[in-house]
Amino acid sequence: MQCKVAPSILSANFNRLGQDIARCRETGADYLHFDVMDGIFVPNISFGLPVLESVRKETDMVLDVHLMIDRPVRYVERFCQAGADIVTVHVEADTEENTRKALEQIRGCGKRAAVSVKPKTPAEAVLPFLKLCSMVLVMTVEPGFGGQSFMADMMPKVTAIRRYITEAGLECEVEVDGGVALDTAKLCADAGANVLVAGSAFFKAAEPAAFVEALHGLAVRT
């Protein structure tokens, strides 16, 4: 299994967002990661539906939309309609019933559904939702801000979730988000993650294409 790379446009230059998005595609990146923050679930506000609609018009890349918002069931269909290909909701953001409903709505829109867990949330929190998911996102920083240090102690959680997926016989990707760079990416792949979200490390790289190629070359533990 080859690692996929998902540059996070939260770290892009918004004065030239279209150019930065084009650069992501040119480097061979696989997904475009789109962080939505509401200032309630996380202590920051980023961007929402109008920006997503604009980005969708700029690229045919897979748009990996990470909803760091309270009660995402209220909005998942609208994000699907705005152009998301993958929609991720946090297990901590609502009740189990509503999280399941949100995932079912995403799938009903013909999109890929995913759940995410924050650093303090145990791996087993994803178990009620695995059969509805195309991906599980493990946060390797506290969600809400870019540029944080990678939390290596999240790797056992990645390994546990990969094991759950394998034992259930599911086809489900494992993504990590937060502090991913050349050195930490190998730790993620060794733990079983195959989708790597990179923000600062990608957009500040001297040669972004070489960065993507290096991550593509990592072997994923399955």
Side-chain angles (χ1 to χ4, degrees):
M1 186 185 299
Q2 178 180 322
C3 274
K4 295 178 181 178
V5 183
S8 172
I9 65 167
L10 192 63
S11 297
N13 183 338
F14 274 72
N15 287 326
R16 58 180 193 204
L17 182 57
Q19 295 174 45
D20 276 3
I21 290 171
R23 183 155 56 111
C24 291
R25 195 182 195 292
E26 290 164 3
T27 62
D30 305 275
Y31 299 163
L32 197 64
H33 194 75
F34 190 94
D35 287 308
V36 181
M37 307 181 200
D38 65 356
I40 299 171
F41 181 69
V42 292
N44 202 357
I45 296 174
S46 59
F47 32 67
L49 290 161
V51 177
L52 178 61
E53 290 171 346
S54 296
V55 169
R56 177 75 287 168
K57 294 173 184 177
E58 288 290 324
T59 185
D60 61 357
M61 289 183 70
V62 172
L63 297 186
D64 172 22
V65 177
H66 178 194
L67 299 182
M68 289 176 272
I69 65 175
D70 185 56
R71 293 172 290 157
V73 69
R74 299 173 295 161
Y75 295 105
V76 291
E77 288 185 336
R78 292 175 64 188
F79 277 97
C80 291
Q81 293 161 2
D85 296 296
I86 306 169
V87 180
T88 302
V89 299
H90 270 266
V91 300
E92 307 92 350
D94 209 335
T95 64
E96 181 176 326
E97 179 183 1
N98 280 345
T99 300
R100 183 179 297 276
K101 183 179 178 182
L103 296 171
E104 289 170 346
Q105 288 178 349
I106 296 163
R107 289 164 60 92
C109 290
K111 308 296 185 176
R112 296 168 59 188
V115 292
S116 180
V117 285
K118 298 199 290 186
K120 293 180 182 178
T121 302
E124 54 266 28
V126 308
L127 288 173
F129 313 111
L130 270 187
K131 291 183 179 179
L132 293 171
C133 290
S134 296
M135 187 167 70
V136 176
L137 167 57
V138 177
M139 293 300 300
T140 44
V141 296
E142 287 293 339
F145 297 96
Q148 297 181 63
S149 297
F150 178 81
M151 299 172 70
D153 56 348
M154 294 298 105
M155 294 303 96
K157 185 189 296 187
V158 172
T159 300
I161 290 172
R162 173 59 70 190
R163 185 176 68 251
Y164 297 154
I165 291 166
T166 301
E167 290 174 350
L170 300 172
E171 290 195 11
C172 183
E173 297 187 308
V174 179
E175 181 176 55
V176 293
D177 182 2
V180 173
L182 288 174
D183 54 346
T184 57
K186 186 177 187 309
L187 296 176
C188 297
D190 287 346
N194 70 294
V195 182
L196 308 177
V197 178
S200 301
F202 174 87
F203 286 103
K204 294 182 180 179
E207 296 184 22
F211 175 81
V212 171
E213 184 178 4
L215 268 56
H216 278 165
L218 297 173
V220 180
R221 177 184 172 186
T222 58

